[in-house]
Amino acid sequence: MSDYEITEIGGLDAWRDHFGGFAPARSRDGRRVVDHELTMQFIGMTANALAPGEEAGYWHTHTRVEELYVFLEGRGQMGLDDDVVDVRPGSVVRVGQNVWRTWRALPDSDGELRWLCIRAGGEALPHIPDDSSRDPERPMPWDAAAPGRA
């Protein structure tokens, strides 16, 4: 058996309908902790949606975890230590350890602020993924000549 799993998090417009979080007392509408649904060891991911004018309502920081926020829709802001930065579709924000962070959807956003938050811990990634292997002779699975394809 291969070591992979698949889940469906739905289209962006369905993210707000999910209710979830890391602990029941801190769960909220518009959060899905995908790494609680898959067997993940070194990375984590949440799918998030805030309504215009909604905010996290808290600050947080991590001592071991690095986070990457990938904004897909809406307009918002992130508080990062003493700074406030604007975010919009295409904004990617890396937040290192010991940086305080919070976020909000702007009240006049043209829709929900939707983003993925990818969390990672463990050891530093190499600049070039030096643990990979390539097989240029292996046929592509969608090629009719591939083994098992009619």
Side-chain angles (χ1 to χ4, degrees), residues 26 56 59 81 84 93 99 106 112 126 130 132-133 136 146 149:
R26 295 181 300 179
W59 287 83
D81 283 338
V84 175
V93 180
V99 174
L106 290 174
E112 293 175 358
D130 58 4
S132 66
S133 299
R149 301 285 286 184

Side-chain angles (χ1 to χ4, degrees), residues 35-136:
D35 51 289
H36 286 185
E37 301 173 25
L38 299 171
T39 308
M40 300 179 72
Q41 189 175 10
F42 299 108
I43 60 172
M45 186 181 84
T46 59
N48 303 273
L50 291 180
E54 190 176 13
E55 61 182 49
Y58 61 90
W59 287 83
H60 80 282
T61 187
H62 295 284
T63 58
R64 296 186 320 255
V65 173
E66 176 179 43
E67 292 182 325
L68 186 71
Y69 293 80
V70 181
F71 291 90
L72 304 170
E73 286 190 347
R75 292 183 309 109
Q77 293 179 313
M78 286 190 76
L80 298 163
D81 283 338
D82 296 330
D83 298 324
V84 175
V85 298
D86 293 328
V87 294
R88 62 185 183 284
S91 296
V92 178
V93 180
R94 178 213 160 255
V95 184
Q97 295 86 355
N98 303 306
V99 174
W100 287 96
R101 69 215 66 181
T102 191
W103 51 89
R104 74 173 185 145
L106 290 174
D108 63 349
S109 178
D110 51 355
E112 293 175 358
L113 180 64
R114 296 183 179 127
W115 75 95
L116 296 172
C117 177
I118 301 164
R119 301 178 319 282
E123 58 187 66
L125 295 174
H127 181 68
I128 298 174
D130 58 4
D131 67 332
S132 66
S133 299
R134 291 185 182 214
D135 183 356

